[in-house]
Amino acid sequence: MVLASVEKMVGLQKKTSGIRNICILAHVDHGKTTLADCLISSNGIISSRLAGKLRYLDSREDEQIRGITMKSSAISLHFVKGDQEYLINLIDSPGHVDFSSEVSTAVRLCDGCIIVVDAVEGVCPQTQAVLRQAWLENIRPVLVINKIDRLIVELKLTPQEAYLHLKNILEQINAVTGTLFTSKVLEERAGKETESESISDTAQGDQIYDWSAGLEDTDDSHLYFSPDHGNVVFASAIDGWGFGIEHFAKLYSQKIGIKPAVLLKTLWGDYYLNTKAKKIMKGDQSKGKKPLFVQLVLDNIWSLYEAVMKRDKEKIEKIVTSLGLKIGARESRHADPKVHLNAICSQWLPISDAVLSMVCNKLPSPLDITAERVEKLMCVGARTFDSLPPETQELKSAFLKCSSEGTAPVIVFVSKMFAVDAKALPHNKPRPLTQEEIAHRRELAKRRHAEKLVAKQGKELSEKPQSENSSEVTENAGDTKGEEQQLTGQVEIMTSKAMKQEADNKESFIAFARVFSGIVQRGQKIFVLGPKYDPAESLHKLSFQCSATNDLPLVPHMTCCTLENLYLLMGRELEDLEEVPAGNVLGIGGLQDFVLKSATLSTSPACPPFTPLNFEATPIVRVAVEPKHPSDMPQLVRGMKLLNQADPCVQVLIQETGEHVLVTAGEVHLQRCLDDLKERFAKVQISVSAPIIPFRETITRPPKVDMVNEEIGRQQKVAVIHQTKEDQNKIPEGVQVDSDGLVTISTPNKQATLSVRAMPLPEEVTRLLEENSDLIRTMEQLNTSLNEDKKTHEINQKTLDRIKEFKQKLEQNLQGRKWRNAVDQIWSFGPRKCGPNILLYNFEGYKRSVWQCLGNAVKEVSKYRDFDNSIVSGFQLATLSGPMCEEPLMGVCFTVEKWEINKVGEVLSTRSQDSGECDAVQHKQNEDTTLTSSCTDEVCSVNEYQESSQSVPKSPEKISKHKGEVLLADCYGPFSGQLIATMKEACRYALQAKPQRLMAAMYTCEIMATAEVLGRVYAVLSKREGRVLQEEMKEGTDVFIIKAVLPVAESFGFADEIRKRTSGLASPQLVFSHWEIISSDPFWVPTTEEEYLHFGEKADSENQARKYMNAVRKRKGLYVEEKIVEHAEKQRTLSRNK
């Protein structure tokens, strides 16, 4: 029986101090959903016998089949402790690495979390990841060490060994927390140092840098998990028991006569009980005594397990009576001892009491939200809290008060949208009939029955014997009439059924949200603020007091909507609500047209959008999807839109080729997305391509040794005619390539000449550019607004400091003769203006820098000024698709060493400078079009680039009479377009002049395996080009942890293969890590005597890089050089000719 009604829950929602918003976080298979089941059964929603078997919050079919959670789902529980009543909004989250985005959505809505750790496996990779996510969101964790029964039943440890093992696990977890805390303190301290340095620059004397300072002063004792703090529970969720040491402290204080406070401090740690003196002494290890925890706690649990497992009836009865429990005959006679055990333990040490009382004592209510967390939530990107408009800063107090008054501004954060069947919505559910309705229906049925009887009797009386023939005719006529009526009736039923089905099949989207301030009411009008909304811009247009009901001017990234339905989330069920006060988690219906994945809702336009969610996993696995029947295309497109909305991590793209592509976080995630597409969202048959594996192209320094490790240049060369011919064929006429790789090329109309050189960037620089791509994008936006003389962006000091720091790091890493002044000469980054490639200018008479936002902007006028954007656009195009297989470039630096514009070009630029004011305006327009042509948008594809390069001339042609552009717009098209194409070609040839390499995406792979299957794990790894980084044995167990890297291209089916080969004893966790150069040259052919001897003329041995390159080229429809028949003379039939 459900203990708390909806009315009760609504009442509890109003008492903010009694609310706890918590989520359960852990590694996969550590027992989150089983623990959630135990907590739910305490509310009578499910039977306590089914807890752990039912997995109530795994409501999807595939979750039940696979046995893992795939989405976060919420349920509200009622808990009474003493005279205090609590409402606990519990969110269960997935542990599988593919679904870590769901963890981020859950963590954002909570104030605290329960970290669950398996007592046997200890701290696993995903445990560390979830601890980090909780730390980043500033939410407080408590710990449940689960599956302690495995220490007794599987590992068969003694209580003393188990105590040491548990102590070890606690140390590991505290070590992870400690590293997070240390990094934060050092970061803050570094920030203070830089501030104090800027103040005390004049101070003299040697400064001694002390690393430890700052750590000793800060108090971090509250962060760590320790049973005597009351933030650790020892449990076995499957057997239904759990305890914190305060339970035993109370119990034994009466028995032994020692104060509970003393016992609390000494029950965990190196203390033992001196029974003679009835005192607790320190130093159990040295004196060979049992620690208190073993003696008073673990021994009892071990003896209970032993008695039940060995079916020792007398002992069991003794234990049951001494504990004062009542065990039913059904449980005690059950064939499975686990059932008996569960019955005893769940009464003696109920897990729900232990966990929920720890949650209520140790985790904060929504009222206790910290100022630090509020500021973090309100500051998007690089903005600091102080730089927000004053109206926005005032909202901080509303956050901290978390008040549910009518005057408080409503602030709601939607962390994700999830799809539910329209049938599951409360207003579509079949409701039970009331007594009056049942009586009314009974009356109707009786009346109908009576009418039928009367009609029958009347018929019998009126029937008289007629001729057989005529009677037959009338009968037939009656039959056909009846049939017709029946048919029309059936048609009506069919159409109504179809309409009903249509309504049933519809997916409804519900927003998973939390109210941070104010009261949300059904039918309320509210602003929906997108992630890019800027309150500073909109407050100029709107008054601070305006509400969502007024007719408002258009503001970017902001819309108004009505909250149609509010729901209480109860796992698989939804309950209707009229209003929800601050501090609660809720579902909101009717937002599907306004919110894509996450959004901020507010009644105040001054509210900033919340910081975007931190996703641990990056989507990397791509597949192309198309319907089996082309006529189903519209359904597929609609289905993919819905899928994109329903999953926080998936990305849906349409590539340049017109393919519809799904980008997912891993294989399990991909499978789930495809199932959803087929069965829920598109409801059509689909065909899925092989995974599209991303690569990057780069160049390296020329190698010192050849393929047989001989030093190059020393051995005797063999004339390899075909190779030298190929080299000559690569480069067309009109392109000069120097011996050191400098490429010189002219535009088709010969008015300009470019010389470009390509160089590999050092690895540290590439990594730096990748990490700071957001900062580079911000710089680009600032530079654009500076060029257009807009002062909308008040440049924030913190951002400027970050840009300066970034510049310093680049200067440190780019040292040496060939990189002299390189950082100041950076012209652009690419692709998409924020990628890991650099364009430098190294010619006289031109100055333009990406660092102009730092205040060293030079508004110079030169002959290059009109066309420099064309060069940048050409570079962006070249870096977006390289020459090997049209994949983006990475870690390449292009230097423009010469750019000559002939006389005609100069005439053009001088005319444009000398002409009058009217012309200056039009010249500005032209510059604007070229600026926009280089496509500052983040998601700009190749097509857009090509379109933009074609659209450049449209506005100059109108004003060409003034400018003399007509001189240059010859048969080759406009001059700016020619420059773009020439620059792109120059970059490509410069790349081909250097040794090219492919870069593959790599996963880090963590595998836990026992010693007997290690060999098989290694076999699978080496077969798939994996490389083992380290293996270590977990203390106290026979489990090895293997860390390896594996190319994404080889990872499909990897998890399944490892499970098959090791009979399920090893399972890997794959997380995208980095890009790595594939060492082999895709264009390699043997050129020396030794290589000929070793590899033969064909060099048939598999070249991994070439294999990958050809696969990508085939997929993209590019030319692949391969012979279909290699040795025609060797082909013969297998059966002999007779």
Side-chain angles (χ1 to χ4, degrees), residues 16 66 75 94 96 108 121 142 181 227 234 253 424 440 455 527 667 685 736 742 782 803 855 869 915 1014 1123 1137:
T16 319
R66 277 183 186 267
I75 191 161
H96 196 286
R108 171 59 61 88
E121 293 182 8
V142 290
F181 172 73
F234 301 95
S253 66
H440 179 62
F527 293 121
E667 269 191 282
Q685 287 296 309
Q736 296 168 13
L742 184 70
L782 293 173
I803 294 173
N869 278 312
S915 48
L1014 268 187
K1123 299 185 180 102
N1137 295 332

Side-chain angles (χ1 to χ4, degrees), residues 71-180:
K71 52 151 194 17
S72 45
S73 39
I75 191 161
S76 296
L77 303 176
H78 171 229
F79 178 62
V80 182
K81 186 169 178 262
D83 53 352
Q84 269 282 78
E85 285 191 291
Y86 293 97
L87 172 69
I88 291 166
N89 295 319
L90 176 79
I91 304 176
D92 183 25
S93 67
H96 196 286
V97 68
D98 282 10
F99 305 107
S100 59
S101 57
E102 291 277 350
V103 177
S104 308
T105 60
V107 165
R108 171 59 61 88
L109 303 184
C110 294
D111 301 304
C113 63
I114 301 174
I115 306 279
V116 182
V117 176
D118 185 330
V120 176
E121 293 182 8
V123 178
C124 292
Q126 211 48 28
T127 317
Q128 298 182 5
V130 293
L131 267 169
R132 186 164 56 251
Q133 275 178 311
W135 177 265
L136 287 172
E137 288 285 351
N138 286 41
I139 70 169
R140 196 181 298 166
V142 290
L143 180 68
V144 171
I145 297 182
N146 192 18
K147 303 195 184 185
I148 290 185
D149 59 299
R150 288 182 68 191
L151 301 179
I152 310 172
V153 181
E154 284 177 34
L155 298 188
K156 299 197 166 33
L157 301 183
T158 63
Q160 180 73 32
E161 289 166 343
Y163 167 67
L164 294 172
H165 183 75
L166 292 172
K167 209 169 161 185
N168 194 1
I169 288 177
L170 262 177
E171 278 167 16
Q172 288 174 10
I173 297 170
N174 286 334
V176 176
T177 313
T179 48
L180 291 169

Side-chain angles (χ1 to χ4, degrees), residues 788-802:
E788 295 169 0
D789 293 329
K790 278 189 195 165
K791 287 291 172 205
T792 51
H793 274 277
E794 266 309 311
I795 302 179
N796 171 349
Q797 190 54 44
K798 195 176 173 188
T799 312
L800 281 181
D801 292 343
R802 281 177 63 205

